[in-house]
Amino acid sequence: MSLFKARDWWSAVLGEKEEFDQGCLCVADVDNSCSGEDKIVVGSYMGYLRIFSPHPVKVGDGAQAEDLLLEVHLRDPILQVEVGRFVSGTELLHLAVLHARKLCVYSVSGTLGSVEHGNQYQVKLMYEHHLQRIACNMTYGSFGGVKGRDLICIQSMDGMLMLFEQESYAFGRFLPGFLLPGPLTYSSRTDSFITVSSCRQVESYKYQVLAFATDADKREDTEQQKLGAGKRLVVDWTLNIGEQALDICVVSFSQSASSVLVLGERNFFCLKDNGQIRFMKKLGFSPSCFLPYCAVSEGAVSTLIGNHSNMLHIYQDVTLKWATQLPHVPVAVKVGCLQGLKGVIVTLSDNGHLQCSYLGTDPSLFQAPKVDSREINYEELDVEMKELQKIIRDVNTSPGPLAEKEGFLSIFASVSSTLDSVSQAASHAVGAEAVPSVTVQVMMQSRLALQKTKLSIYVESPLAATCDRFIFDSLEPEILKTISLSVFLKGNYLPSELEGTAMASYSMPTDLNPDGILRIVQCKFRLPLKLICLPHQPSKTASHKLTIDTNKPPISLLSLFPGFANQSDDDQANVLGFRFITGSQVTVLASKTSQRYRIQSERFEDLWLITKELTLRLQEHFEKQGTKDFTCSFSGCIPLQEYFDVIDQHFELRLNGEKVEELLSERAIQFRAIERRLLTRFKDKTPAPLQHLDTLLDGTYKQVIALADAAEENHSNLLQSFTRLKSATHLVIMLIGLWQKLSSDQTAILEAAFLPLQRDSQELVVVLPSQS
């Protein structure tokens, strides 16, 4: 905020509910008066043309009736007004008014009044041009170095520059690569038009190049322009400024050099006439308009920049010299000589607030009141400080409202001991086997009433639940809420874990946060082995074997795995066979003479689930008997080579996936290129042979489909390989823990180092930590 406000010299409010923009303001001696004083010309989107000559009796007066010289309703919206030498045969100034579909040039003249009503002003239409295209903006100047007259260039909404030599139309040219119109200006020193394209780059076009380029009676394709008569329209120089431009202006304060000023959305650029950056100023505000004017010092550029904070900043090159506050947001700013007062700043807002002001200051009459001085009582301050410190300590050490209500929501889960009589699996077969399902019941009980409680069920892929998301609008206190769901195997490979998690989230309101703090409570449940496994005939040979040592006599496998006993075999006390419903087999043997158990299988990663289940059941068996010193150990060699083979398989699939995606991208680019060529051939008015493009398109299409199928198949194999790698990692960590007799905390550290395995997927998975 500025300390200084713009000194109001004269102001007026134009019309009611009218709209104005950047090109609607012009300050010039439009009536060619003898005194040479400027007049203010304003056009509105409602079609009203007004000309003012302010005559304030005292500084700050509003508009009087005699200040309005002329007001005419031209019916069509006025896009821009300019004053120049637009009529042939005379060097007098005339008014050019740009409408959407026509350009009108008027002569403004005044008649000396013979009575007290004063002078009378009128406008006379000298000529007009009806435009074939919708106009956007215009610029004028002595194009081609003509003397004593100004030519007009109009930019249309579709990118055509239409040049008029006063009463006659000269030619029109389309700008190359045009998308949206930008600000337009003319540089007399280089005889070129400068604009800012939708590519966010400043472009300069020579007038001679425009004059000798191919005529633009209609827009042509690039290929047809190359074959047509005349020369192509080429740009003289370009500069990428990286943002859209609000306005552009050329200043030439000396004969030796000129500057191109560009006002961007966040930056202000000053360029040399060859497109090189002279300086650049980063603006800390959102600009609305700007105007360069003659600087006091030689070689410097002074600029007025208005912004959307009702401020007007005055810069000399990149240095801020003055900042003043306006009563409105300016959309156009001009400087003129009014009533002999030079340097009057004329600003116009979008709702028609027209103001003439100058820079200055008013002395401040405000005096700060005296503050009553009183002596400081340090003893009272010490007592107050101790009381505050005691309150802070009590808050930090007290359990608080959250700790008092820590256990008001409890959640636990139970898994059915038998499989579902009717399977709830979405796909009732994996390979040649029927897929069973098991029922899981999750129970929640709250001590207080809760709103919008969410329950989520997580199981390891490819296990799936019939429903894994539940939302409860309200939970009544002390009422047990039971949710039943079924878990089953969804894919044709094994999960890495047979554990699941039930997680409930809710918000706990506090005094400091009425909206509540997110709280999470969770519990884990263990799924039965028979969900993915069936009893089978033991296998005598296997490629991969593990031996687990214990410090207790061997236990009958029938008592450890009662659900997998086969009544036809009597020798199952020491050997037991398992067959996963995915097809692989695992055999467990208990030694008759030593305290060892052997697990063997044809696949290394399949050993994990049975080995873990064996150690858990042995631990549970001896805990029931009251034995507390039972331990398991591993004395063999860690199967690192087998583990590395699983890693290599997973890595090869990842590399293969990248190659397939790269090939698919290349074929897709080739497919689109062939489509473009075919489309060009079909659009051509003169039929031409396809040159086997249709055959090439069909072959490329088949390759794209085949590569897409290969990418999908590789992704499916990658998911299975990821699960196998995770199982193998679990097994290796378990064997290291048994080998080195690691504690549970040490094993957790090892898992944290080896098991942050993330699935190879584009999806983002967020895991919330437990807070209770």
Side-chain angles (χ1 to χ4, degrees):
M1 179 177 179
S2 173
L3 296 175
F4 311 123
K5 295 183 179 180
R7 300 293 300 274
D8 187 8
W9 184 70
W10 178 88
S11 62
V13 179
L14 312 182
E16 293 182 0
K17 297 182 179 180
E18 294 189 46
E19 295 182 5
F20 305 83
D21 206 349
Q22 177 180 325
C24 296
L25 177 64
C26 182
V27 177
D29 185 18
V30 67
D31 60 341
N32 301 281
S33 62
C34 299
S35 61
E37 291 184 352
D38 292 333
K39 313 297 186 298
I40 302 175
V41 182
V42 183
S44 73
Y45 285 165
M46 299 298 290
Y48 286 94
L49 177 66
R50 298 179 178 90
I51 302 177
F52 291 91
S53 179
H55 292 78
V57 178
K58 60 180 181 179
V59 175
D61 280 352
Q64 303 296 323
E66 58 270 18
D67 294 340
L68 180 60
L69 304 183
L70 179 69
E71 180 175 352
V72 181
H73 188 206
L74 301 181
R75 299 184 182 275
D76 296 325
I78 298 175
L79 304 181
Q80 191 172 345
V81 289
E82 297 291 349
V83 175
R85 297 167 297 179
F86 301 135
V87 178
S88 60
T90 178
E91 292 189 5
L92 296 178
L93 298 178
H94 289 76
L95 175 63
V97 180
L98 179 64
H99 302 283
R101 281 289 187 176
K102 64 180 178 178
L103 170 68
C104 301
V105 176
Y106 296 95
S107 171
V108 180
S109 60
T111 303
L112 187 62
S114 57
V115 292
E116 65 273 9
H117 297 303
N119 300 336
Q120 296 180 359
Y121 286 83
Q122 60 183 0
V123 293
K124 179 181 178 182
L125 179 65
M126 303 303 294
Y127 62 87
E128 66 178 3
H129 293 289
H130 291 276
L131 308 178
Q132 299 299 321
R133 287 176 165 79
I134 300 177
C136 176
N137 51 25
M138 68 175 176
T139 186
Y140 69 95
S142 54
F143 306 158
V146 297
K147 303 295 183 180
R149 56 177 180 159
D150 292 325
L151 309 184
I152 298 176
C153 176
I154 300 176
Q155 181 180 207
S156 67
M157 294 297 292
D158 58 351
M160 182 179 180
L161 297 183
M162 297 172 284
L163 284 91
F164 297 89
E165 295 183 355
Q166 297 182 339
E167 291 87 350
S168 61
Y169 171 73
F171 56 86
R173 301 290 184 264
F174 277 110
L175 297 178
F178 182 87
L179 182 61
L180 294 173
L184 177 69
T185 189
Y186 172 73
S187 175
S188 59
R189 186 174 181 276
T190 59
D191 193 23
S192 58
F193 297 95
I194 304 174
T195 183
V196 180
S197 66
S198 56
C199 299
R200 300 182 176 182
Q201 60 184 10
V202 185
E203 299 177 352
S204 175
Y205 297 91
K206 292 283 189 179
Y207 174 77
Q208 296 296 330
V209 176
L210 287 170
F212 290 101
T214 305
D215 194 14
D217 293 334
K218 60 180 181 179
R219 181 181 287 274
E220 299 177 351
D221 295 336
T222 305
E223 295 293 335
Q224 295 177 355
Q225 285 185 2
K226 292 180 180 179
L227 301 177
K231 299 181 180 179
R232 291 187 60 200
L233 178 58
V234 294
V235 65
D236 184 26
W237 56 262
T238 62
L239 176 67
N240 194 333
I241 61 175
E243 59 182 320
Q244 296 295 337
L246 303 180
D247 199 1
I248 186 172
C249 186
V250 174
V251 292
S252 181
F253 301 135
S254 64
Q255 297 297 328
S256 59
S258 62
S259 298
V260 180
L261 303 178
V262 182
L263 180 65
E265 294 174 325
R266 287 296 179 185
N267 298 280
F268 172 59
F269 303 88
C270 181
L271 316 178
K272 298 180 181 179
D273 50 17
N274 59 357
Q276 297 179 356
I277 294 181
R278 181 181 172 190
F279 63 80
M280 168 184 165
K281 173 67 177 177
K282 182 174 179 61
L283 305 176
F285 49 81
S286 178
S288 59
C289 61
F290 88 129
L291 175 71
Y293 65 96
C294 184
V296 177
S297 59
E298 185 68 23
V301 178
S302 295
T303 311
L304 297 172
I305 301 180
N307 60 39
H308 288 275
S309 300
N310 297 5
M311 298 291 296
L312 187 67
H313 290 185
I314 296 89
Y315 288 91
Q316 184 172 333
D317 286 348
V318 296
T319 305
L320 179 64
K321 292 295 185 179
W322 196 268
T324 185
Q325 189 173 14
L326 297 174
H328 57 266
V329 177
V331 296
V333 58
K334 301 291 182 182
V335 174
C337 178
L338 303 174
Q339 296 300 314
L341 183 61
K342 297 181 179 180
V344 177
I345 301 174
V346 184
T347 56
L348 177 67
S349 69
D350 59 350
N351 56 2
H353 191 166
L354 180 65
Q355 176 174 325
C356 298
S357 57
Y358 59 94
L359 303 180
T361 61
D362 285 326
S364 176
L365 302 178
F366 173 76
Q367 292 182 356
K370 294 183 180 181
V371 179
D372 295 335
S373 60
R374 59 186 180 91
E375 295 182 359
I376 300 176
N377 191 335
Y378 291 99
E379 294 180 357
E380 293 181 358
L381 291 179
D382 289 339
V383 172
E384 185 179 359
M385 177 64 73
K386 291 179 180 179
E387 292 178 355
L388 293 176
Q389 289 178 346
K390 182 178 181 301
I391 294 174
I392 294 173
R393 283 195 303 269
D394 294 341
V395 170
N396 291 335
T397 57
S398 62
L402 286 180
E404 294 175 359
K405 302 174 183 178
E406 185 73 28
F408 77 90
L409 179 64
S410 58
I411 178 173
F412 49 94
S414 65
V415 181
S416 175
S417 58
T418 59
L419 299 177
D420 297 338
S421 57
V422 178
S423 176
Q424 302 298 318
S427 176
H428 292 285
V430 172
E433 298 291 341
V435 179
S437 63
V438 66
T439 300
V440 179
Q441 288 187 339
V442 181
M443 288 148 281
M444 294 190 304
Q445 187 173 10
S446 173
R447 292 170 51 190
L448 297 176
L450 294 179
Q451 305 293 328
K452 296 294 183 181
T453 303
K454 299 179 181 179
L455 175 65
S456 302
I457 308 299
Y458 299 94
V459 290
E460 287 287 336
S461 178
L463 293 174
T466 52
C467 184
D468 56 0
R469 296 289 186 275
F470 301 90
I471 299 179
F472 306 98
D473 294 332
S474 62
L475 284 181
E476 298 297 331
E478 304 299 339
I479 296 180
L480 188 65
K481 187 75 174 180
T482 304
I483 302 95
S484 296
L485 54 102
S486 294
V487 179
F488 56 90
L489 188 66
K490 196 174 182 180
N492 193 19
Y493 55 99
L494 295 177
S496 60
E497 290 281 357
L498 283 177
E499 290 184 352
T501 304
M503 183 180 298
S505 61
Y506 56 94
S507 295
M508 179 62 193
T510 63
D511 296 335
L512 299 178
N513 189 356
D515 294 334
I517 300 176
L518 181 64
R519 303 282 293 171
I520 295 176
V521 61
Q522 64 180 6
C523 71
K524 294 185 178 296
F525 55 89
R526 185 171 144 200
L527 298 172
L529 182 63
K530 54 187 174 182
L531 182 64
I532 61 171
C533 193
L534 299 173
H536 193 261
Q537 188 69 24
S539 177
K540 296 182 180 179
T541 59
S543 302
H544 304 280
K545 301 176 182 180
L546 292 176
T547 301
I548 303 298
D549 299 328
T550 64
N551 61 348
K552 299 296 179 183
I555 307 300
S556 172
L557 296 180
L558 294 178
S559 61
L560 288 178
F561 299 93
F564 293 89
N566 194 341
Q567 301 296 333
S568 60
D569 292 336
D570 297 332
D571 195 22
Q572 283 193 336
N574 297 321
V575 61
L576 202 60
F578 302 89
R579 183 171 61 84
F580 296 111
I581 58 177
T582 56
S584 56
Q585 301 178 14
V586 179
T587 301
V588 179
L589 299 95
S591 176
K592 297 180 181 180
T593 58
S594 60
Q595 302 169 354
R596 295 181 176 181
Y597 299 88
R598 172 175 290 181
I599 306 98
Q600 57 187 25
S601 176
E602 291 295 331
R603 304 181 65 170
F604 173 69
E605 61 273 6
D606 290 342
L607 299 173
W608 157 243
L609 289 177
I610 301 299
T611 304
K612 181 182 180 182
E613 193 73 19
L614 175 65
T615 56
L616 287 176
R617 297 198 181 199
L618 284 172
Q619 192 75 31
E620 292 174 356
H621 173 80
F622 286 103
E623 285 180 357
K624 291 180 180 179
Q625 293 184 351
T627 305
K628 298 182 179 180
D629 59 346
F630 172 77
T631 58
C632 294
S633 60
F634 178 73
S635 57
C637 296
I638 302 296
L640 294 179
Q641 186 57 47
E642 292 83 350
Y643 181 53
F644 293 155
D645 292 340
V646 178
I647 294 177
D648 291 340
Q649 293 173 7
H650 181 261
F651 184 66
E652 289 177 1
L653 286 173
R654 291 185 60 183
L655 292 180
N656 188 42
E658 293 178 359
K659 293 179 182 179
V660 172
E661 290 179 0
E662 184 178 355
L663 287 175
L664 182 59
S665 177
E666 293 177 358
R667 294 299 179 268
I669 294 174
Q670 177 180 326
F671 185 77
R672 288 191 293 268
I674 299 171
E675 279 187 326
R676 285 195 296 269
R677 287 182 175 271
L678 278 175
L679 188 61
T680 303
R681 295 291 179 90
F682 291 149
K683 283 186 176 181
D684 196 353
K685 295 180 180 179
T686 58
L690 297 180
Q691 297 179 346
H692 302 289
L693 285 177
D694 52 344
T695 305
L696 186 60
L697 180 69
D698 182 66
T700 307
Y701 173 76
K702 292 180 179 178
Q703 291 180 3
V704 169
I705 296 300
L707 287 172
D709 293 339
E712 185 176 0
E713 181 181 359
N714 185 83
H715 181 69
S716 176
N717 294 335
L718 188 62
L719 291 180
Q720 298 183 27
S721 178
F722 166 78
T723 306
R724 290 196 293 267
L725 176 60
K726 197 171 183 180
S727 299
T729 306
H730 275 295
L731 180 59
V732 171
I733 292 175
M734 178 184 179
L735 295 179
I736 293 175
L738 296 178
W739 172 40
Q740 294 294 329
K741 297 180 174 56
L742 301 180
S743 64
S744 58
D745 293 338
Q746 293 172 331
T747 305
I749 295 175
L750 200 61
E751 290 179 348
F754 281 91
L755 274 177
L757 297 179
Q758 299 298 326
R759 183 180 302 176
D760 299 290
S761 173
Q762 300 295 330
E763 298 179 359
L764 179 63
V765 180
V766 179
V767 180
L768 296 176
S770 174
Q771 298 184 11
S772 62

